[in-house]
């Protein structure tokens, strides 16, 4: 492993993030467990950054991929008809709730968000964009430009002009102590003020994550984005919901994260869990918005036959087994268990999230961010056989997002490890 790490550092960029003091190589996996090259097995509570939504070695998905591979056709490009791509797009359009929806498939969430920005700026003939503070939308030029988290925004250069709005990250918001209704009212007032003072009014779109992923699963009160949409509609500004992490029922209560706000966006972007590890993403949008481009385009690899076949099998499995309901049931138990941990350990400043998308924010004696404790928990949980994620604006948040096929016994095992790990690093 030391040799592989040295080789990695020699040929990969130094800014390519790696977890753990001694990074691990995952060699095999099954269900919700992964095994590293040294033979250590872990319960996976981060699922490849929420991507292995169904888990590992799922027969229905593997069979669908093998069936496509057996045809000999791994790739054709979108210059030709792709049956599985059309079938997948039909299903996503019907599940979206967006009127007259059309779908464009990409290779990743970054590419999906870039596409959404291209559509919105072309449709509105404006390069102005509203984004939320503490947001993350990808690693490409425009998506870095709309990422409101300095730890993941490497450049101030951008092809779009961005104005930043309060609302996504409540725990450290100046409005944090307000009631839900007053919090929403304050954020809406901020939105209107931002539009009227920092833009010329003809803004292309506002892009939001219903729950901020890299930002530490920051969760605003339900109804915030409906209230935002009412203001946006006054100006003709489009609403884009970034569902790369919140889609496919992970939040439990709804299939799409934005549905918690009782609003239908003009477009949604998606990726990660749809492919259960295969490279796929996309945009689903109103037909007139999707069709607004005045030039030809293609996607060489987006929605290729193999990824589309696997994604369709993943989506069918998720729906057939009602994994959204499983996320709701086990997520409630996970949050309750973690809040019990927080009551015993003041270093846990906040427990938040929905469904199987839950976070713990670690704080110091004065409530200040405590990234050292979060890093210690990351290492301690691994030592005890559990893999978790980390994030947040200050790197002080542990993120939990296991495969949605999680069982009750596995949940209890993870809670035990998390409780013992927090206790160990707090001592």
């Amino acid at each position: 492993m030391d040799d592989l790490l040295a080789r990695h550092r020699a040929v990969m960029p130094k800014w390519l993030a790696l977890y753990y003091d001694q990074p691990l190589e995952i060699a095999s996996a099954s269900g919700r467990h992964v095994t590293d090259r040294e033979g250590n097995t872990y319960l996976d509570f981060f699922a490849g950054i929420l991507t292995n939504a169904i888990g590992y070695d799922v027969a229905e998905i593997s069979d669908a991929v093998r069936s496509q591979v057996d045809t000999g056709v791994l790739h054709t490009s979108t210059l030709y008809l792709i049956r599985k791509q059309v079938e997948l797009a039909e299903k996503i359009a019907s599940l979206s709730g967006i009127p007259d929806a059309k779908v464009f498939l990409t290779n990743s969430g970054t590419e999906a968000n870039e596409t959404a920005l291209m559509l919105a700026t072309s449709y509105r003939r404006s390069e102005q964009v509203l984004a939320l503070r503490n947001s993350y939308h990808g690693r490409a030029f425009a998506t870095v430009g709309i990422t409101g988290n300095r730890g993941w925004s490497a450049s101030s250069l951008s092809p779009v002009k961005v104005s930043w709005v309060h609302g996504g990250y409540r725990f450290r918001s100046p409005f944090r102590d307000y009631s839900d209704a007053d919090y929403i009212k304050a954020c809406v007032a901020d939105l209107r003020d931002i539009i009227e003072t920092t833009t010329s009014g003809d803004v292309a779109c506002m892009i939001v994550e219903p729950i901020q992923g890299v930002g530490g699963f920051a969760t605003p009160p339900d109804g915030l984005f409906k209230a935002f949409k009412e203001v946006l509609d006054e100006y003709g500004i489009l609403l884009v919901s970034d569902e790369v992490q919140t889609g496919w029922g992970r939040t439990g209560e709804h299939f799409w994260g934005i549905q918690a706000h009782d609003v239908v966006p003009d477009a949604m972007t998606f990726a990660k869990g749809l492919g259960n590890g295969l490279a796929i993403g996309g945009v689903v949008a109103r037909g007139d918005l999707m069709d607004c481009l005045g030039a030809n385009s293609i996607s060489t690899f987006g929605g290729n036959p193999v990824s589309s076949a696997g994604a369709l099998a993943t989506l069918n499995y998720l729906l057939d087994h009602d994994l959204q309901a499983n996320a709701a049931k086990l997520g409630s138990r996970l949050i309750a268990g973690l809040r019990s941990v927080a009551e015993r350990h003041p270093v846990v400043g906040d427990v938040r999230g929905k469904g199987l998308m839950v976070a713990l924010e670690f704080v110091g004696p004065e409530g200040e961010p405590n990234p050292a404790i979060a890093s210690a928990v990351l290492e301690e949980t691994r030592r005890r056989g559990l893999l978790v994620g980390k994030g947040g604006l200050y790197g002080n948040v542990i993120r939990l997002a296991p495969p949605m096929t999680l069982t009750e016994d596995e949940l209890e095992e993870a809670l035990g490890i998390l409780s013992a790990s927090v206790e160990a690093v707090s001592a």
Side-chain angles (χ1 to χ4, degrees):
M1 178 58 66
D2 289 341
D3 178 62
L4 182 59
L5 179 58
R7 290 161 58 195
H8 177 281
R9 287 174 172 163
V11 297
M12 309 296 280
K14 65 181 181 180
W15 42 258
L16 189 62
L18 284 171
Y19 272 173
Y20 304 112
D21 291 337
Q22 295 296 320
L24 63 84
E25 177 191 3
I26 294 174
S28 62
S30 179
R32 273 72 51 197
H33 290 83
V34 299
T35 301
D36 69 18
R37 186 63 66 185
E38 280 70 45
N40 303 302
T41 296
Y42 308 91
L43 176 59
D44 185 3
F45 251 57
F46 203 38
I49 319 179
L50 296 85
T51 300
N52 299 308
I54 315 299
Y56 300 90
D57 196 23
V58 180
E60 290 86 341
I61 300 171
S62 298
D63 289 346
V65 171
R66 289 191 194 97
S67 179
Q68 181 61 46
V69 170
D70 286 346
T71 69
V73 181
L74 304 185
H75 170 73
T76 64
S77 91
T78 51
L79 291 171
Y80 304 97
L81 293 172
I82 303 172
R83 184 172 299 274
K84 292 297 183 184
Q85 183 184 82
V86 173
E87 293 173 357
L88 178 62
E90 288 172 338
K91 181 152 287 192
I92 292 171
S94 68
L95 290 166
S96 72
I98 297 175
D100 304 315
K102 289 191 173 184
V103 177
F104 178 76
L105 295 175
T106 66
N107 301 286
S108 68
T110 290
E111 191 182 336
N113 284 329
E114 289 277 338
T115 302
L117 290 174
M118 181 176 64
L119 291 171
T121 54
S122 297
Y123 187 88
R124 290 278 293 157
R125 310 301 299 169
S126 169
E127 82 279 34
Q128 298 173 95
V129 174
L130 299 169
L132 290 178
R133 303 176 186 205
N134 196 49
S135 60
Y136 176 84
H137 296 288
R139 57 170 175 75
F141 195 35
T143 50
V144 164
I146 59 170
T147 287
N149 183 321
R150 188 51 51 206
W152 292 91
S153 184
S155 173
S156 63
L157 300 175
S158 175
V160 292
K161 295 179 180 178
V162 186
S163 295
W164 305 100
V165 180
H166 278 293
Y169 183 25
R170 186 174 187 173
F171 184 67
R172 297 192 182 278
S173 166
F175 316 132
R176 62 171 289 174
D177 295 324
Y178 292 10
S179 68
D180 285 359
D182 286 343
Y183 182 90
I184 291 172
K185 187 180 299 183
C187 293
V188 167
D190 176 64
L191 169 63
R192 189 180 295 278
D193 185 61
I194 289 294
I195 293 172
E196 294 180 353
T197 62
T198 71
T199 80
S200 59
D202 56 338
V203 178
C205 69
M206 182 176 199
I207 185 166
V208 302
E209 297 164 276
I211 296 176
Q212 293 182 329
V214 170
F217 291 171
T219 308
D222 292 352
L224 175 66
F225 298 129
K226 179 178 182 179
F228 276 7
K229 183 71 160 61
E230 292 170 358
V231 175
L232 299 177
D233 285 348
E234 294 178 25
Y235 296 88
I237 300 169
L238 302 170
L239 176 63
V240 178
S241 182
D242 180 342
E243 300 278 350
V244 169
Q245 298 198 26
T246 49
W248 321 115
R250 176 164 286 281
T251 65
E253 60 187 16
H254 297 288
F255 196 74
W256 306 102
I258 197 70
Q259 290 174 321
H261 298 266
D262 190 27
V263 65
V264 178
D266 299 288
M268 293 189 294
T269 60
F270 54 84
K272 290 194 183 292
L274 175 62
N276 201 51
L278 294 164
I280 194 165
V283 183
V284 54
R286 289 178 359 217
D288 62 327
L289 174 57
M290 186 67 79
D291 288 339
C292 76
L293 299 184
N296 292 324
S297 192
I298 61 168
S299 182
T300 301
F301 296 107
N304 69 76
V306 176
S307 291
S308 290
L312 186 59
T314 298
L315 188 50
N316 286 335
Y317 188 99
L318 190 152
L319 295 169
D320 292 345
H321 292 81
D322 197 7
L323 297 187
Q324 179 182 330
N326 193 53
K329 180 179 72 172
L330 296 190
S332 294
R333 288 174 54 181
L334 178 59
I335 291 172
L338 293 174
R339 286 184 174 155
S340 177
V341 173
E343 289 174 2
R344 301 192 303 273
H345 300 286
V347 293
V348 182
D350 193 28
V351 176
R352 57 179 178 253
K354 293 182 177 183
L356 291 176
M357 190 174 183
V358 181
L360 303 89
E361 179 156 352
F362 289 90
V363 299
E366 304 300 322
E368 72 277 13
N370 195 335
I373 287 285
S375 294
V377 170
L378 185 80
E379 296 287 348
E380 185 67 20
T381 50
R382 176 192 175 178
R383 190 179 72 80
R384 295 172 182 266
L386 180 70
L387 302 185
V388 299
K390 191 159 71 77
L393 182 61
Y394 305 100
N396 65 322
V397 178
I398 290 295
R399 297 197 285 162
L400 308 171
M404 294 165 62
T405 49
L406 185 73
T407 68
E408 294 184 7
D409 287 345
E410 290 165 344
L411 173 65
E412 294 303 322
E413 177 187 354
L415 276 172
I417 293 174
L418 285 162
S419 178
S421 297
V422 172
E423 183 172 359
V425 303
S426 303

